[in-house]
Amino acid sequence: MTVPVTNPRIGLLICDVPADTIQEKHGDYERIFGTFLEEALKPINQTTFTLDPFDVRAQVYPNADEYDAILITGSKLTAHEYDQPGNEWMKKLIEYVRFVATEKPLVKIFGICFGHQIIALAMGGTCVRNTRFEVSATKLQLTELGKKVYGVDSGILNIHLMNRDHVPTKPPSFHILSSSNLSPVHGMVLFSQSDSSEESPPLNFRLTDIHILTSQGHPEFTESIMRILIHMRQQLLGPELAHDGEYRAGNQNDGVAVIGKAIWGVMGVE
């Protein structure tokens, strides 16, 4: 079992830059994720953490030994095109994630959207183009394990989505947390080697027993960010999906209260 940490240090692996209109209102990814993590901490008796940004597109990485966790952001780019010319940084990111996951068992790993897909590729899963975009506040179905990890008895997770690619096949030894009608693996976890098997998760576990946690959805997105993205991508999404996404953008969003809380729980902050 991982020993809970105090004043955790988190390396933020930045895989893209938000659009200017988002940055003007909400800041860059360091600020967006910093705000998300701070908001998730408010109900918890813990107020201090360090969030250090690393631009992995420029192949700048943290020394994993100096951090309690790494968090991989989303990106408008395509993870499964990592072997295409110009995407060498993605291949390096996959290699880094695989190294940390296998050689640094005490370092927690979190992946959001693109980060979720990168982790899947690094650990033996797949990532492909889906039949259409998934957009805006959406109800996901939780597995029994997902209910326990997120502490949600209803079996429904409400989260903002903005993805065309997805993970159809989880890596070995990972366990699925949530799914949608279009994507069977919307979130997944890997337990520490001593606490789990490939076939089934441990019956009794603490969140600190989780080594890797991912989300295809965006817990860091707010209604405002989602509305800006939908407006920017109207032509790409098409009028029907854009209109439906606008309609749902103000629906319930469990990003902070559920996923944010779980992220802190995995790091031993409860």
Side-chain angles (χ1 to χ4, degrees):
M1 181 181 296
T2 303
V3 177
V5 298
T6 58
N7 304 325
R9 297 193 66 191
I10 305 166
L12 183 67
L13 307 192
I14 296 177
C15 305
D16 203 354
V17 176
D20 290 344
T21 48
I22 291 177
Q23 290 201 60
E24 289 169 5
K25 189 170 184 179
H26 300 281
D28 59 12
Y29 274 137
E30 181 183 2
R31 180 178 165 192
I32 289 171
F33 276 95
T35 299
F36 160 65
L37 292 169
E38 288 171 359
E39 290 294 315
L41 266 181
K42 283 184 177 179
I44 304 171
N45 187 24
Q46 167 82 25
T47 58
T48 303
F49 68 95
T50 300
L51 183 67
D52 292 333
F54 295 87
D55 187 351
V56 296
R57 298 167 305 160
Q59 301 198 26
V60 179
Y61 286 87
N63 178 347
D65 292 329
E66 298 177 356
Y67 288 86
D68 301 295
I70 59 172
L71 194 163
I72 310 165
T73 73
S75 174
K76 62 180 175 291
L77 300 177
T78 303
H80 57 78
E81 294 182 348
Y82 65 89
D83 58 349
Q84 297 299 308
N87 290 341
E88 290 80 9
W89 69 271
M90 294 186 196
K91 188 172 184 180
K92 172 69 174 179
L93 177 58
I94 289 171
E95 293 170 353
Y96 177 83
V97 169
R98 185 182 299 121
F99 166 75
V100 175
T102 55
E103 301 297 330
K104 305 295 179 181
L106 298 182
V107 179
K108 306 297 187 180
I109 303 175
F110 305 103
I112 305 300
C113 196
F114 177 86
H116 157 78
Q117 297 162 11
I118 287 290
I119 290 170
L121 292 169
M123 303 303 290
T126 60
C127 175
V128 300
R129 181 59 53 91
N130 210 334
T131 55
R132 66 174 177 85
F133 274 93
E134 294 184 292
V135 175
S136 199
T138 302
K139 294 181 181 295
L140 303 181
Q141 298 292 327
L142 292 173
T143 62
E144 288 302 314
L145 177 61
K147 293 179 187 179
K148 294 179 181 179
V149 169
Y150 288 133
V152 176
D153 294 333
S154 69
I156 300 295
L157 178 68
N158 302 277
I159 191 71
H160 279 301
L161 309 180
M162 181 57 77
N163 61 281
R164 179 69 186 273
D165 300 329
H166 75 129
V167 174
T169 308
K170 69 177 181 64
S173 299
F174 278 71
H175 305 284
I176 298 173
L177 297 178
S178 59
S179 62
S180 71
N181 292 335
L182 289 177
S183 302
V185 186
H186 243 285
M188 58 187 183
V189 292
L190 177 70
F191 288 89
S192 59
Q193 188 172 5
S194 61
D195 294 323
S196 182
S197 68
E198 182 171 343
E199 293 76 22
S200 59
L203 295 176
N204 298 302
F205 65 89
R206 292 175 56 86
L207 289 181
T208 49
D209 298 329
I210 293 172
H211 183 197
I212 300 174
L213 184 150
T214 75
S215 170
Q216 178 65 71
H218 287 272
E220 80 283 11
F221 279 5
T222 62
E223 177 183 348
S224 173
I225 291 175
M226 181 52 62
R227 290 192 184 280
I228 293 171
L229 282 172
I230 292 172
H231 178 74
M232 288 174 48
R233 298 178 179 179
Q234 283 188 68
Q235 287 190 323
L236 185 62
L237 297 174
E240 183 177 349
L241 186 56
H243 177 75
D244 182 52
E246 282 276 4
Y247 177 78
R248 290 183 284 109
N251 288 359
Q252 181 175 339
N253 174 17
D254 298 329
V256 170
V258 176
I259 298 182
K261 180 181 178 182
I263 287 174
W264 284 121
V266 170
M267 287 189 281
V269 180
E270 301 178 311

